[in-house]
Amino acid sequence: FKPRNNILFFDTSLLKGRILSEFAVVKEVNISKEFPHKIDVEITERTPIGTWCSIDVCHYFDQEGALWGNALRSSGSLLLNIDDLRILDEQKRMLSLDILEPIQKAVLDLDKIGVKIKKVSIPAEAIGDFRIDSVTRYYILFNNDTDISGQVKILKILLDEKGKEFKPEYLDLRIDGRVYYK
């Protein structure tokens, strides 16, 4: 037997680990041996839901918060665009779900009430705050520690009461149970 040319001694876990560590776009790898001479490798790629941009570079990210690749700063509506103005470690490959989940929740809930999103930004100095710019020229301020769904319900009530002529500069939803606007 030649160990290097023998399927019996092929280490599938080593190959799987190497693929996952070298290619961030790969979400899952399944490797199986089929005797006598076949190795099947099945790869599942990550599906981007948006672009996460720091000061000078953008990456794709998925539902789980994994970052990969270089993306162009986008202004379209196909992918969620997040501008993170904080200073981040460029070697980081995962986003904090403490930040990502509230943003995803806010975007989904706002879409349900008919508020279309242009982009999301995270200010450099604020802890837990994020800003969502709507396509109708106003922006909405949120905080990770608030009840996002509850705040969006209150926003819906306000928007229904004020009607279509309501043109605020911004809406502040950072305090539970209240909406401030200018």
Side-chain angles (χ1 to χ4, degrees), residues 125-170:
E125 67 281 347
I127 298 174
D129 289 353
F130 59 95
R131 170 182 163 160
I132 296 180
D133 290 30
S134 73
V135 295
T136 54
R137 293 181 297 217
Y138 62 84
Y139 62 90
I140 306 168
L141 299 171
F142 284 96
N143 187 284
N144 293 347
D145 297 329
T146 60
D147 174 18
I148 302 287
S149 294
Q151 290 300 92
V152 172
K153 287 177 187 174
I154 293 170
L155 174 62
K156 169 91 169 108
I157 293 168
L158 174 74
L159 294 175
D160 288 345
E161 280 180 10
K162 296 291 185 178
K164 295 205 182 261
E165 66 278 349
F166 183 56
K167 305 271 189 241
E169 183 181 326
Y170 70 89

Side-chain angles (χ1 to χ4, degrees), residues 24-84:
V25 72
V26 175
K27 181 177 184 175
E28 190 176 307
V29 177
N30 292 317
I31 301 172
S32 60
K33 298 178 188 179
E34 291 185 25
F35 294 101
H37 303 292
K38 188 175 180 184
I39 296 174
D40 283 331
V41 179
E42 183 180 315
I43 295 177
T44 306
E45 290 186 21
R46 297 183 180 280
T47 303
I49 63 167
T51 57
W52 193 280
C53 298
S54 60
I55 304 298
D56 57 349
V57 66
C58 297
H59 299 285
Y60 293 107
F61 71 95
D62 68 358
Q63 195 74 28
E64 298 168 350
L67 292 170
W68 74 90
N70 289 326
L72 296 174
R73 191 174 295 271
S74 173
S75 61
S77 61
L78 293 177
L79 295 174
L80 178 61
N81 300 305
I82 300 177
D83 288 330
D84 194 343

Side-chain angles (χ1 to χ4, degrees), residues 108-117 135-136 138 156 159:
L108 181 66
D109 288 349
L110 287 171
D111 186 52
K112 287 179 185 175
I113 66 166
V115 176
K116 300 299 178 203
I117 306 302
V135 295
T136 54
Y138 62 84
K156 169 91 169 108
L159 294 175

